[in-house]
Amino acid sequence: MSGEPLVEVRDLVKHFPINRGIILQKQVGAVHAVDGVSFDVMRGESLGIVGETGCGKSTTARLLMRLLDPTSGVIRFEGKDVAKIPRRAFKPFRREIQMIFQDPYSSLNPRKTVGAIIAEPFAIHGLNKGKGERRRAVQELMDLVGLNPEHYNRYPHEFSGGQRQRIGVARALALQPKMIIADEPVSALDVSIQAQILNLLRDLQRDLGLTLILIAHDLSVVRHMCDRVAVMYLGKIVEIADSDTLYRHPRHPYTGALLSAVPVPDPELASRRRRQVLGGDVPSPTNPPPACRFHPRCPKAQDLCHQQEPLLEQKPGGSVAACHFPLSDAEAAERVATAEPV
Ligand code: SF4
């Protein structure tokens, strides 16, 4: 990892308008999908973004890829404002960031051979290699991700779920991107296969010096993959820290609750841990609670939490969290129970 950010995100906001009326389409509200998010991603770093469904993590990924335009805020890639990249320079930018999607079943064209699917980015980006060269490049990629290069002419339905996700990884690597965004890459796969795909991503990230953003709803998935982890709740980052700090000394009560739900293989350790079940549902992002958005579900909430929004600030132990009354060492220890969750 180098000390220079590849990506800088500042005060990123994405609101989706809610319109009513067939003809006039009057705006009656907005979904606050991402609401003032700031973070850096360093070159060669792996950053996990974790949170429940609807917290804004996938929208953040789509904003980074410029698949969506932000409502406000700035995203800089290699120092350049992504929103100001002119149309003609857009393709080279897209080459630098590639995405791996959640569902390996629907993200591959069933009518194309694996060879054609992996070679697709070459044609899209005008890298028209000769037939033999293209085949060699694709087979090299297949080998790199653990697929048999001789299966070049097979169709997606002839592969298992894990192999299809490997095809998705090979396609993402075809253009030698600087950054990969993996959006819940294992959540559609059998548990037995998940570790294989995560290990593959970790090895590729390390061996190719890639920058990786891994999006997941489960903290156990990112633990062994990521240098740093950002936890999102209702469109905001509530805690960000290096992995060890976050898993050993969570400061935000929401991070503590997520960690208390991570499975622990040792029954004795599990029995020592205090499982914290969050009350209620995630509030609607169309009308998020005022001040601290977590206050309706937070076991530590006090009057101040209803009145004043907590800012992301450095807390004792190294974590950066947005909380007026962060977890003490003893409360954090109760929730993690062990320094080594799965
Ligand atoms: Fe809980 Fe208050 Fe911290 Fe919000 S600011 S997480 S309500 S203690």
Side-chain angles (χ1 to χ4, degrees), residues 3 68 196 200 207 264 298 309 331:
L68 291 171
Q196 292 174 19
L200 170 71
D207 297 346
V264 177
C298 181
E309 181 171 356
E331 287 170 324

mmCIF file with all atom_site columns, all heavy atoms in Angstrom, residues 3 68 196 200 207 264 298 309 331:
data_model
loop_
_atom_site.group_PDB
_atom_site.id
_atom_site.type_symbol
_atom_site.label_atom_id
_atom_site.label_alt_id
_atom_site.label_comp_id
_atom_site.label_asym_id
_atom_site.label_entity_id
_atom_site.label_seq_id
_atom_site.pdbx_PDB_ins_code
_atom_site.Cartn_x
_atom_site.Cartn_y
_atom_site.Cartn_z
_atom_site.occupancy
_atom_site.B_iso_or_equiv
_atom_site.pdbx_formal_charge
_atom_site.auth_seq_id
_atom_site.auth_comp_id
_atom_site.auth_asym_id
_atom_site.auth_atom_id
_atom_site.pdbx_PDB_model_num
ATOM 1  N N   . GLY A 1 3   ? 1.354   5.548   0.298   1.00 0.00 ? 3   GLY A N   1
ATOM 2  C CA  . GLY A 1 3   ? 0.727   6.571   1.114   1.00 0.00 ? 3   GLY A CA  1
ATOM 3  C C   . GLY A 1 3   ? -0.089  7.583   0.343   1.00 0.00 ? 3   GLY A C   1
ATOM 4  O O   . GLY A 1 3   ? -0.394  8.649   0.844   1.00 0.00 ? 3   GLY A O   1
ATOM 5  N N   . LEU A 1 68  ? -23.863 6.278   -11.542 1.00 0.00 ? 68  LEU A N   1
ATOM 6  C CA  . LEU A 1 68  ? -24.866 7.243   -11.072 1.00 0.00 ? 68  LEU A CA  1
ATOM 7  C C   . LEU A 1 68  ? -24.163 8.578   -10.907 1.00 0.00 ? 68  LEU A C   1
ATOM 8  O O   . LEU A 1 68  ? -22.967 8.613   -10.598 1.00 0.00 ? 68  LEU A O   1
ATOM 9  C CB  . LEU A 1 68  ? -25.398 6.832   -9.691  1.00 0.00 ? 68  LEU A CB  1
ATOM 10 C CG  . LEU A 1 68  ? -26.260 5.582   -9.561  1.00 0.00 ? 68  LEU A CG  1
ATOM 11 C CD1 . LEU A 1 68  ? -26.476 5.274   -8.088  1.00 0.00 ? 68  LEU A CD1 1
ATOM 12 C CD2 . LEU A 1 68  ? -27.593 5.790   -10.260 1.00 0.00 ? 68  LEU A CD2 1
ATOM 13 N N   . GLN A 1 196 ? -13.527 -19.854 -0.910  1.00 0.00 ? 196 GLN A N   1
ATOM 14 C CA  . GLN A 1 196 ? -12.642 -20.010 -2.077  1.00 0.00 ? 196 GLN A CA  1
ATOM 15 C C   . GLN A 1 196 ? -12.592 -18.722 -2.894  1.00 0.00 ? 196 GLN A C   1
ATOM 16 O O   . GLN A 1 196 ? -11.529 -18.293 -3.340  1.00 0.00 ? 196 GLN A O   1
ATOM 17 C CB  . GLN A 1 196 ? -13.164 -21.127 -2.981  1.00 0.00 ? 196 GLN A CB  1
ATOM 18 C CG  . GLN A 1 196 ? -13.070 -22.502 -2.380  1.00 0.00 ? 196 GLN A CG  1
ATOM 19 C CD  . GLN A 1 196 ? -13.735 -23.540 -3.281  1.00 0.00 ? 196 GLN A CD  1
ATOM 20 O OE1 . GLN A 1 196 ? -13.949 -23.300 -4.457  1.00 0.00 ? 196 GLN A OE1 1
ATOM 21 N NE2 . GLN A 1 196 ? -14.067 -24.674 -2.712  1.00 0.00 ? 196 GLN A NE2 1
ATOM 22 N N   . LEU A 1 200 ? -9.463  -16.183 -3.356  1.00 0.00 ? 200 LEU A N   1
ATOM 23 C CA  . LEU A 1 200 ? -9.000  -15.827 -4.714  1.00 0.00 ? 200 LEU A CA  1
ATOM 24 C C   . LEU A 1 200 ? -8.849  -14.307 -4.832  1.00 0.00 ? 200 LEU A C   1
ATOM 25 O O   . LEU A 1 200 ? -7.820  -13.809 -5.308  1.00 0.00 ? 200 LEU A O   1
ATOM 26 C CB  . LEU A 1 200 ? -10.000 -16.345 -5.758  1.00 0.00 ? 200 LEU A CB  1
ATOM 27 C CG  . LEU A 1 200 ? -9.770  -15.855 -7.188  1.00 0.00 ? 200 LEU A CG  1
ATOM 28 C CD1 . LEU A 1 200 ? -8.518  -16.504 -7.777  1.00 0.00 ? 200 LEU A CD1 1
ATOM 29 C CD2 . LEU A 1 200 ? -10.976 -16.138 -8.086  1.00 0.00 ? 200 LEU A CD2 1
ATOM 30 N N   . ASP A 1 207 ? -1.217  -10.121 -5.167  1.00 0.00 ? 207 ASP A N   1
ATOM 31 C CA  . ASP A 1 207 ? -0.239  -10.438 -6.209  1.00 0.00 ? 207 ASP A CA  1
ATOM 32 C C   . ASP A 1 207 ? -0.209  -9.387  -7.319  1.00 0.00 ? 207 ASP A C   1
ATOM 33 O O   . ASP A 1 207 ? 0.838   -9.131  -7.911  1.00 0.00 ? 207 ASP A O   1
ATOM 34 C CB  . ASP A 1 207 ? -0.537  -11.815 -6.815  1.00 0.00 ? 207 ASP A CB  1
ATOM 35 C CG  . ASP A 1 207 ? -0.416  -12.915 -5.775  1.00 0.00 ? 207 ASP A CG  1
ATOM 36 O OD1 . ASP A 1 207 ? 0.143   -12.631 -4.689  1.00 0.00 ? 207 ASP A OD1 1
ATOM 37 O OD2 . ASP A 1 207 ? -0.896  -14.036 -6.017  1.00 0.00 ? 207 ASP A OD2 1
ATOM 38 N N   . VAL A 1 264 ? -19.092 -17.423 16.181  1.00 0.00 ? 264 VAL A N   1
ATOM 39 C CA  . VAL A 1 264 ? -17.813 -17.820 16.781  1.00 0.00 ? 264 VAL A CA  1
ATOM 40 C C   . VAL A 1 264 ? -17.828 -19.349 16.868  1.00 0.00 ? 264 VAL A C   1
ATOM 41 O O   . VAL A 1 264 ? -18.781 -19.919 17.397  1.00 0.00 ? 264 VAL A O   1
ATOM 42 C CB  . VAL A 1 264 ? -17.669 -17.218 18.195  1.00 0.00 ? 264 VAL A CB  1
ATOM 43 C CG1 . VAL A 1 264 ? -16.383 -17.674 18.843  1.00 0.00 ? 264 VAL A CG1 1
ATOM 44 C CG2 . VAL A 1 264 ? -17.717 -15.703 18.127  1.00 0.00 ? 264 VAL A CG2 1
ATOM 45 N N   . CYS A 1 298 ? -30.622 2.380   19.442  1.00 0.00 ? 298 CYS A N   1
ATOM 46 C CA  . CYS A 1 298 ? -29.356 2.300   20.177  1.00 0.00 ? 298 CYS A CA  1
ATOM 47 C C   . CYS A 1 298 ? -29.584 2.075   21.677  1.00 0.00 ? 298 CYS A C   1
ATOM 48 O O   . CYS A 1 298 ? -30.307 2.845   22.316  1.00 0.00 ? 298 CYS A O   1
ATOM 49 C CB  . CYS A 1 298 ? -28.561 3.592   19.977  1.00 0.00 ? 298 CYS A CB  1
ATOM 50 S SG  . CYS A 1 298 ? -26.978 3.551   20.838  1.00 0.00 ? 298 CYS A SG  1
ATOM 51 N N   . GLU A 1 309 ? -26.324 15.918  15.963  1.00 0.00 ? 309 GLU A N   1
ATOM 52 C CA  . GLU A 1 309 ? -25.720 14.857  15.149  1.00 0.00 ? 309 GLU A CA  1
ATOM 53 C C   . GLU A 1 309 ? -24.266 14.638  15.569  1.00 0.00 ? 309 GLU A C   1
ATOM 54 O O   . GLU A 1 309 ? -23.483 15.595  15.619  1.00 0.00 ? 309 GLU A O   1
ATOM 55 C CB  . GLU A 1 309 ? -25.780 15.241  13.665  1.00 0.00 ? 309 GLU A CB  1
ATOM 56 C CG  . GLU A 1 309 ? -25.173 14.147  12.814  1.00 0.00 ? 309 GLU A CG  1
ATOM 57 C CD  . GLU A 1 309 ? -25.371 14.340  11.337  1.00 0.00 ? 309 GLU A CD  1
ATOM 58 O OE1 . GLU A 1 309 ? -26.060 15.294  10.928  1.00 0.00 ? 309 GLU A OE1 1
ATOM 59 O OE2 . GLU A 1 309 ? -24.813 13.522  10.592  1.00 0.00 ? 309 GLU A OE2 1
ATOM 60 N N   . GLU A 1 331 ? -17.350 -2.664  27.395  1.00 0.00 ? 331 GLU A N   1
ATOM 61 C CA  . GLU A 1 331 ? -18.540 -2.918  26.554  1.00 0.00 ? 331 GLU A CA  1
ATOM 62 C C   . GLU A 1 331 ? -18.121 -3.519  25.208  1.00 0.00 ? 331 GLU A C   1
ATOM 63 O O   . GLU A 1 331 ? -18.777 -4.427  24.689  1.00 0.00 ? 331 GLU A O   1
ATOM 64 C CB  . GLU A 1 331 ? -19.299 -1.609  26.318  1.00 0.00 ? 331 GLU A CB  1
ATOM 65 C CG  . GLU A 1 331 ? -20.046 -1.117  27.543  1.00 0.00 ? 331 GLU A CG  1
ATOM 66 C CD  . GLU A 1 331 ? -20.579 0.306   27.359  1.00 0.00 ? 331 GLU A CD  1
ATOM 67 O OE1 . GLU A 1 331 ? -19.905 1.137   26.706  1.00 0.00 ? 331 GLU A OE1 1
ATOM 68 O OE2 . GLU A 1 331 ? -21.668 0.575   27.887  1.00 0.00 ? 331 GLU A OE2 1
#
